Amino acid sequence: MEPATPVRTRVRLVDVAELAGVTKSVASRVLNGDTTINVRPSTKQRILDAARTLNYAPHAGAKALAGARTKALALLVPDLMNAVYARIARGAYQRAREHGYVVLLAEDTVDSNAQSDYTDLVGAGRVEGLLIASARQGHPLLDSGQLDAIPHVFVNRSVPGSGRSLTVDLQGASQIAFDYLKGLGHERMAHISGPGVLMPAQEREKGFVAAASAAGYPAPFVVREIFDEAGGFRAAQQIIEARPDVTAVYAGTFSQSVGALKALRRSGVDVPGDVSVLSYDDLPLAEYLEPSLTTMSLPLLGLGQLAVDALVAQLQGTPPRDIVLPEKPIILERESTATVRSPGTA
Amino acid sequence: MEPATPVRTRVRLVDVAELAGVTKSVASRVLNGDTTINVRPSTKQRILDAARTLNYAPHAGAKALAGARTKALALLVPDLMNAVYARIARGAYQRAREHGYVVLLAEDTVDSNAQSDYTDLVGAGRVEGLLIASARQGHPLLDSGQLDAIPHVFVNRSVPGSGRSLTVDLQGASQIAFDYLKGLGHERMAHISGPGVLMPAQEREKGFVAAASAAGYPAPFVVREIFDEAGGFRAAQQIIEARPDVTAVYAGTFSQSVGALKALRRSGVDVPGDVSVLSYDDLPLAEYLEPSLTTMSLPLLGLGQLAVDALVAQLQGTPPRDIVLPEKPIILERESTATVRSPGTA
DNA sequence: CTGAAAGCGCTTACAG
DNA sequence: CTGAAAGCGCTTACAG
């Protein structure tokens, strides 16, 4: 059994140079857009044409070895199945291509070996930088000190002291959420938050509580559950039980909202008649649920795009800094939220 | 502005060799598990220890240049947001790691440039092989002849004549679906199929129609719509309008089912009282919809895993062949399906 | 300005 | 069996 060998032998830089009647050096410089070189436009054109004719694709490994940039970035996400990361990834891909970079996506799950992911991608010299959307507190990469050696950016994660966090203003989002619900006349609200160790959950929670306090409203009832449907389900049960007078629920994720909807329905609580539900993450599905979900839409695509911008800037020597996306999240109103029921109607 | 240079200089093979007191050659062979070499166990151990101590990570580019395998595969999916591909991807990652490979994920959307994706990954020598889950008919890669030069496998896509298709038996799945609905007493069924050009849609459709015909049942009413919620919504509307006597709907995707549920609800059709809905793709969400969705669960993780196995085998010289997953899909029964309503009850 | 040459970090025939 | 050496395809000081 012979290893399958590619049929066609690789087109090399020399081949291009030969066809264009120049040396490798010139061809290399022209192809790489070196501006310090001075070649006749006709020569330049000949080289470009030759490359196109031969379908020249430079060997990434050779380039990297010779000291050139690999023009590759890696994006680490905690969960491929999560639509939020899928959006961020899409934004990152788009923008990366505009910068001439490829993005290599890796799922950095809790049980997968972050260490070997890192080694495979960074240690092996495959990528120039890392977009990390998977950094929870205590993440192995954070403590290993390995990140010191490589340009990186934290996406949708504020890592204290890193100076490299790219985030949406979630406290601000919670303020918007509060104002919206308040505008509908709600006073007794609950918030379905996430695991305490997760920064986004903390931010949302803090902002919501602060907003209520600033408005002189009763403190929202906060319950922390994991970010999936089951978490939302349990959270809603707790809310109904502990605070039956709550008229509005603000949930941290789409999945939690779906779970909450189910729990409320089960308990005979009408949405939005008795309780309004405000969700996160405007997925196509939101419109098709029963009732359709009012959602807070975060600029996720933009987050991915700006993350790439920030990383590329870092690669070019700009000192890294924390960035909070300027775009405000917006609320897309659907059926799950409504004016508060008049007191005593229930 | 200086380019950010990594602080630590790279640990090379020589460094490991030196520390272990051997030459590069020996170190290389030992590290790569060359069995033809004969070294004392103690020497071998010293080399391994040295590598670990120094945290040695071989430069992927240099290895590739020197003719070694890159130990990297690329997976092309049409849509990152689609949970089906996320599962396939997860399966592929797992298995690839077991084989010592990295998987680079790329979203190969209709409007993205498949050509440049290809060039970036294959042409640049970044990967040894391609897992293609994005090949629709007329896909640029299919006609360009470029695939001749690289080992590849089509995942969940049967590309006629390729001899490299890895698929689930969707006709068989449709047979199972039919038998299930028939078992519930349904006779007048409809099928929400997908765009005619997509092989999976064709297979499902063909199998369902054939099953009905073989059983001597009326031909199912088939409507072709795109694979998302909106498609399912429109499809259900057409079904209600054209065939109000239909009692069971078999939808090709989860999203279509969600859309269909909404359309039925809107039209006052009770699910499963009036019409049963059988969906595909057992997502966590299925349980939380109203009513919860009965789904056909495909061995998606296994598909990703076997795809990697097949590609790795190909890389080792085994002639490629079409493979149909042996595992049968299973039906997870929930609330959206029920025994047919007794005739005339409506 | 331009081209010849060195060197990036590996692997693997090949000679000893 | 083992080690010195060539070579993979590039880039980029450096000498001319």
Side-chain angles (χ1 to χ4, degrees):
Chain A
M1 292 214 224
E2 287 300 297
T5 51
V7 181
R8 194 176 37 179
T9 175
R10 166 168 285 285
V11 175
R12 294 150 309 160
L13 181 59
V14 250
D15 303 321
V16 175
E18 252 169 34
L19 183 61
V22 297
T23 63
K24 282 196 319 180
S25 314
V26 185
S28 172
R29 296 197 249 244
V30 165
L31 256 16
N32 289 313
D34 185 335
T35 49
T36 69
I37 192 182
N38 213 336
V39 287
R40 258 168 301 182
S42 64
T43 309
K44 184 171 170 186
Q45 200 45 247
R46 246 185 306 126
I47 297 173
L48 262 19
D49 288 347
R52 201 175 316 272
T53 304
L54 297 177
N55 228 301
Y56 174 61
H59 190 281
K63 292 191 79 155
L65 237 202
R69 336 227 59 151
T70 59
K71 287 289 186 174
L73 269 22
L75 169 58
L76 267 32
V77 300
D79 181 5
L80 278 175
M81 313 244 214
N82 188 319
V84 169
Y85 297 109
R87 291 213 177 172
I88 292 177
R90 186 170 287 178
Y93 271 82
Q94 286 176 356
R95 188 55 57 89
R97 184 171 293 288
E98 291 170 29
H99 284 293
Y101 277 80
V102 219
V103 173
L104 312 181
L105 223 201
E107 189 176 30
D108 180 23
T109 56
V110 180
D111 42 82
S112 87
N113 197 336
Q115 177 54 54
S116 59
D117 280 347
Y118 179 87
T119 304
D120 286 343
L121 294 169
V122 179
R126 287 197 161 97
V127 300
E128 293 176 43
L130 243 35
L131 301 158
I132 309 175
S134 59
R136 51 194 178 287
Q137 269 180 20
H139 189 287
L141 241 37
L142 255 32
D143 304 318
S144 66
Q146 286 189 103
L147 289 181
D148 298 342
I150 181 125
H152 61 281
V153 148
F154 297 103
V155 188
N156 204 24
R157 288 282 177 279
S158 99
V159 176
S162 71
R164 297 152 187 267
S165 294
L166 193 70
T167 50
V168 173
D169 177 13
L170 289 175
Q171 291 199 40
S174 283
Q175 177 67 253
I176 293 175
F178 176 80
D179 290 341
Y180 169 72
L181 294 172
K182 178 176 165 229
L184 291 176
H186 297 279
E187 293 184 2
R188 295 175 305 280
M189 308 180 193
H191 174 49
I192 304 181
S193 185
V197 291
L198 293 180
M199 193 55 82
Q202 289 178 31
E203 294 290 305
R204 264 190 302 255
E205 190 179 317
K206 199 194 284 187
F208 198 60
V209 170
S213 158
Y217 272 49
F221 180 64
V222 174
V223 21
R224 296 182 181 170
E225 278 288 356
I226 50 173
F227 280 147
D228 64 7
E229 288 87 358
F233 187 88
R234 287 193 300 270
Q237 285 180 319
Q238 292 171 53
I239 292 169
I240 298 168
E241 177 133 349
R243 297 291 169 92
D245 61 334
V246 155
T247 64
V249 172
Y250 166 54
T253 70
F254 189 87
S255 297
Q256 285 177 332
S257 305
V258 170
L261 238 40
K262 174 107 176 180
L264 293 169
R265 199 185 302 126
R266 272 252 190 118
S267 304
V269 176
D270 183 60
V271 177
D274 300 321
V275 171
S276 284
V277 173
L278 172 58
S279 171
Y280 260 87
D281 307 326
D282 192 58
L283 307 186
L285 198 62
E287 207 169 320
Y288 291 90
L289 291 173
E290 184 64 32
S292 62
L293 265 182
T294 296
T295 58
M296 173 86 76
S297 176
L298 262 31
L300 262 15
L301 219 62
L303 195 63
Q305 293 172 340
L306 249 63
V308 169
D309 286 342
L311 187 51
V312 169
Q314 219 179 107
L315 288 169
Q316 286 165 175
T318 310
R321 62 190 180 86
D322 289 334
I323 298 176
V324 176
L325 281 220
E327 295 145 79
K328 294 266 167 269
I330 53 172
I331 290 181
L332 295 163
E333 191 162 41
R334 298 205 184 79
E335 301 164 353
S336 68
T337 49
T339 310
V340 70
R341 63 167 189 257
S342 31
T345 302
Chain B
M1 294 215 221
E2 287 300 297
T5 51
V7 180
R8 193 177 38 179
T9 173
R10 167 168 286 284
V11 176
R12 294 152 308 160
L13 181 59
V14 250
D15 302 322
V16 175
E18 252 169 36
L19 182 62
V22 297
T23 62
K24 283 193 320 178
S25 314
V26 185
S28 172
R29 295 196 250 244
V30 165
L31 257 16
N32 289 312
D34 184 336
T35 50
T36 69
I37 192 182
N38 213 337
V39 286
R40 259 168 302 182
S42 63
T43 310
K44 184 172 169 185
Q45 200 45 248
R46 246 186 304 127
I47 296 173
L48 263 19
D49 288 347
R52 201 175 316 273
T53 305
L54 297 177
N55 228 301
Y56 173 61
H59 189 281
K63 292 192 80 156
L65 236 202
R69 336 227 59 153
T70 59
K71 286 289 186 176
L73 269 23
L75 170 57
L76 266 32
V77 300
D79 181 5
L80 278 175
M81 314 247 215
N82 187 320
V84 169
Y85 297 109
R87 291 213 175 171
I88 292 177
R90 186 170 287 178
Y93 271 82
Q94 287 176 355
R95 187 56 56 87
R97 185 172 291 288
E98 292 170 29
H99 283 294
Y101 277 79
V102 221
V103 173
L104 312 182
L105 223 201
E107 187 177 30
D108 180 24
T109 56
V110 180
D111 42 81
S112 86
N113 197 338
Q115 177 54 53
S116 59
D117 281 346
Y118 180 87
T119 304
D120 286 342
L121 294 168
V122 179
R126 286 195 162 99
V127 299
E128 293 178 43
L130 243 34
L131 301 158
I132 309 175
S134 59
R136 51 195 178 288
Q137 270 181 19
H139 189 288
L141 240 38
L142 256 32
D143 305 318
S144 66
Q146 285 187 108
L147 290 180
D148 298 343
I150 180 123
H152 61 281
V153 148
F154 296 104
V155 189
N156 204 23
R157 287 284 178 279
S158 98
V159 176
S162 70
R164 297 151 186 267
S165 294
L166 193 70
T167 50
V168 174
D169 176 14
L170 290 175
Q171 290 199 39
S174 284
Q175 177 67 252
I176 293 175
F178 176 81
D179 290 341
Y180 169 73
L181 293 173
K182 177 176 164 226
L184 290 176
H186 295 279
E187 293 184 3
R188 294 174 306 279
M189 310 179 192
H191 173 49
I192 304 181
S193 184
V197 292
L198 293 181
M199 193 55 82
Q202 288 177 31
E203 294 290 307
R204 264 191 301 256
E205 189 179 318
K206 198 195 286 187
F208 199 59
V209 170
S213 157
Y217 273 48
F221 180 63
V222 174
V223 20
R224 295 181 180 170
E225 278 287 356
I226 50 173
F227 280 146
D228 64 7
E229 288 86 358
F233 187 88
R234 286 192 300 269
Q237 285 180 319
Q238 292 170 52
I239 293 169
I240 298 167
E241 177 133 350
R243 298 291 168 92
D245 60 336
V246 155
T247 64
V249 172
Y250 166 53
T253 69
F254 189 87
S255 297
Q256 285 177 331
S257 305
V258 170
L261 238 39
K262 173 106 177 181
L264 293 169
R265 198 186 301 126
R266 272 253 188 119
S267 304
V269 177
D270 183 57
V271 177
D274 300 320
V275 171
S276 285
V277 173
L278 172 57
S279 172
Y280 260 88
D281 307 326
D282 192 58
L283 307 185
L285 196 63
E287 209 169 318
Y288 291 90
L289 291 173
E290 185 62 33
S292 63
L293 264 184
T294 296
T295 58
M296 173 85 76
S297 175
L298 263 29
L300 262 15
L301 219 63
L303 195 62
Q305 292 171 339
L306 250 63
V308 169
D309 287 341
L311 187 51
V312 169
Q314 220 179 105
L315 289 169
Q316 284 166 176
T318 310
R321 62 190 180 85
D322 289 333
I323 297 175
V324 176
L325 281 221
E327 296 145 79
K328 294 266 167 269
I330 53 173
I331 289 180
L332 295 163
E333 191 162 41
R334 297 204 184 81
E335 301 164 353
S336 69
T337 49
T339 310
V340 69
R341 63 167 188 259
S342 32
T345 302

